[in-house]
Amino acid sequence: MSHPSPPKDEDEIPIPERPPSPPLHTTFSVRGIHPPTFSAFKPRDFRVPSSQSMNHVAWSCDGKKLAAVGVDKLTRVWNPEKNPDIRSAQSYSGGHSDDVDYVSWNPTHPELFCTSSQKDRRVVFWDARQSKYTQQCPLRVSPAKTVYAPDGKSLLFISIGHRISYMTFGATGEGSKEEWRSFDREPVVGSSAVFNHAGDGLVVSHSLEHTIRILDYPSMNVLESLAAHVGGCMALAFDPRARYLATGGLDSIVNMVDLNDWVCTRTITVCENNINDLSFSFDGEYLAIASGGNYIDICATETGIPLHRVPALASSPTVAWHPSKYAIAYCGQTKAKEGGPPSTAVVSMFGLLE
């Protein structure tokens, strides 16, 4: 499978067309017009009785489906616009023999997704239109995260041992079946990774390293290393307009790196805890931050100014903006209180879904 050569200069990376302007009631602050009134929205929290946490949520590329995993061997998928309650979800089972930890949607197809389990060491591929999985891929390592390439034909899997490997989709020869295949090659050290918009490069971080690394894909050769955080970098996210890379660390700081010169242009210090996850809104105007606190912070991308703090029932390991609306999804686990109800898994949504 051929891939374009890595760009020699970041200015050569093609910038995707800007998404169409949103409705007038959700216009941009950087244009001198009021931003969405985030304070007018209230979180919608849905509990799943369980002593385990809900670990990950993700939107399909068209935003019509939300998937949640973490409680058991099931993957729950539902349409929040029709019914936001997770109890309306369709359950997908049979692919894993143990708890499911992570879910990723194919960025080019709204029905295709994959799930992974650290305990059964599998990545399983699904088509939401059918109940049975389409392919099981046993691994030698325990996958903690999965990351699709922009073309949907490559997939990184990151092990709990901080090793990054990948698999690709295709046929090995004429007349052979197209399927996912992993490569038996030396993995790259790292605990988080994100593809650039062209799909021919990666940014990789490690929870115990203060630098981030820029890699060529698929060779995985290191092109450059940059200082990022004190104590380790936990989260990475590219602005959909290809202007910024956001990095979040154990130092509770979010850095905004300008992709023209790979220099940090501003820092966001609104959080009091380590950063767990980052997500840009579809237009790139806003950044949502999940941290160790019981809240989600929303900040303006261009200024770093905090706009709203969303109260949460628990700290969330992840946060995800809807691909075309000002709405976020996040999840976690409530803490049991003495004399009170037991801990429960929770999935939450905030923003305008209608």
Side-chain angles (χ1 to χ4, degrees), residues 1-3 114 123 125 135 137-141 143 145-159 162-170 179-190 193-195 199-202 204 215-221:
M1 168 173 180
S2 61
H3 295 270
C114 72
V123 173
F125 294 89
Q135 187 179 349
C137 291
L139 304 175
R140 297 180 181 179
V141 298
K145 298 178 182 179
T146 52
V147 182
Y148 272 104
D151 64 2
K153 293 186 177 181
S154 294
L155 183 82
L156 302 180
F157 54 94
I158 306 170
S159 75
H162 308 294
R163 296 292 186 270
I164 302 175
S165 303
Y166 67 89
M167 58 180 70
T168 60
F169 182 77
E179 59 184 3
W180 288 94
R181 294 178 176 85
S182 59
F183 291 84
D184 188 14
R185 57 176 294 169
E186 187 66 23
V188 172
V189 176
V194 61
F195 278 96
D200 58 5
L202 300 170
V204 173
L215 277 61
D216 169 53
Y217 182 83
S219 73
M220 296 295 202
N221 293 327

Side-chain angles (χ1 to χ4, degrees), residues 202-216:
L202 300 170
V203 176
V204 173
S205 69
H206 195 292
S207 59
L208 299 178
E209 296 178 0
H210 72 281
T211 59
I212 58 173
R213 284 164 286 139
I214 304 166
L215 277 61
D216 169 53

Side-chain angles (χ1 to χ4, degrees), residues 48-331:
V48 179
S50 173
S51 59
Q52 298 170 269
S53 172
M54 197 66 75
N55 293 330
H56 195 234
V57 290
W59 297 97
S60 60
C61 62
D62 63 357
K64 293 183 178 180
K65 296 182 178 66
L66 183 66
V69 296
V71 167
D72 42 36
K73 304 174 187 178
L74 301 177
T75 301
R76 295 168 171 83
V77 177
W78 72 106
N79 185 341
E81 292 186 24
K82 292 183 177 180
N83 187 343
D85 197 326
I86 191 173
R87 289 176 295 184
S88 67
Q90 179 177 347
S91 296
Y92 295 83
S93 61
H96 293 280
S97 60
D98 219 309
D99 296 339
V100 185
D101 300 297
Y102 208 85
V103 57
S104 296
W105 288 92
N106 190 306
T108 67
H109 198 299
E111 302 291 349
L112 303 182
F113 64 95
C114 72
T115 54
S116 61
S117 170
Q118 298 176 21
K119 292 182 178 179
D120 71 13
R121 294 188 172 187
R122 295 177 193 167
V123 173
V124 179
F125 294 89
W126 306 83
D127 185 325
R129 295 164 294 188
Q130 60 188 58
S131 58
K132 184 177 174 56
Y133 61 86
T134 58
Q135 187 179 349
Q136 277 183 336
C137 291
L139 304 175
R140 297 180 181 179
V141 298
S142 298
K145 298 178 182 179
T146 52
V147 182
Y148 272 104
D151 64 2
K153 293 186 177 181
S154 294
L155 183 82
L156 302 180
F157 54 94
I158 306 170
S159 75
I160 58 175
H162 308 294
R163 296 292 186 270
I164 302 175
S165 303
Y166 67 89
M167 58 180 70
T168 60
F169 182 77
T172 56
E174 187 176 349
S176 63
K177 180 183 177 182
E178 285 191 312
E179 59 184 3
W180 288 94
R181 294 178 176 85
S182 59
F183 291 84
D184 188 14
R185 57 176 294 169
E186 187 66 23
V188 172
V189 176
S191 52
S192 294
V194 61
F195 278 96
N196 66 0
H197 295 290
D200 58 5
L202 300 170
V203 176
V204 173
S205 69
H206 195 292
S207 59
L208 299 178
E209 296 178 0
H210 72 281
T211 59
I212 58 173
R213 284 164 286 139
I214 304 166
L215 277 61
D216 169 53
Y217 182 83
S219 73
M220 296 295 202
N221 293 327
V222 178
L223 303 177
E224 192 172 355
S225 295
L226 305 170
H229 294 274
V230 177
C233 182
M234 302 292 292
L236 302 164
F238 270 115
D239 166 12
R241 299 172 298 184
R243 293 181 183 177
Y244 300 105
L245 168 72
T247 70
L250 290 171
D251 52 12
S252 75
I253 291 174
V254 174
N255 290 325
M256 300 295 290
V257 179
D258 190 310
L259 296 182
N260 287 322
D261 50 20
W262 289 93
V263 171
C264 179
T265 58
R266 70 188 63 87
T267 59
I268 299 173
T269 58
V270 65
C271 298
E272 297 88 21
N273 301 274
N274 56 282
I275 308 302
N276 292 335
D277 198 23
L278 301 166
S279 180
F280 281 99
S281 59
F282 67 94
D283 50 24
E285 295 291 339
Y286 307 106
L287 179 70
I289 308 169
S291 67
N294 288 7
Y295 51 81
I296 302 291
D297 282 308
I298 298 176
C299 299
T301 298
E302 296 293 345
T303 63
I305 295 175
L307 300 175
H308 187 67
R309 173 163 284 185
V310 183
L313 297 179
S315 62
S316 179
T318 188
V319 62
W321 278 100
H322 188 283
S324 61
K325 298 182 179 181
Y326 291 128
I328 57 174
Y330 48 102
C331 61

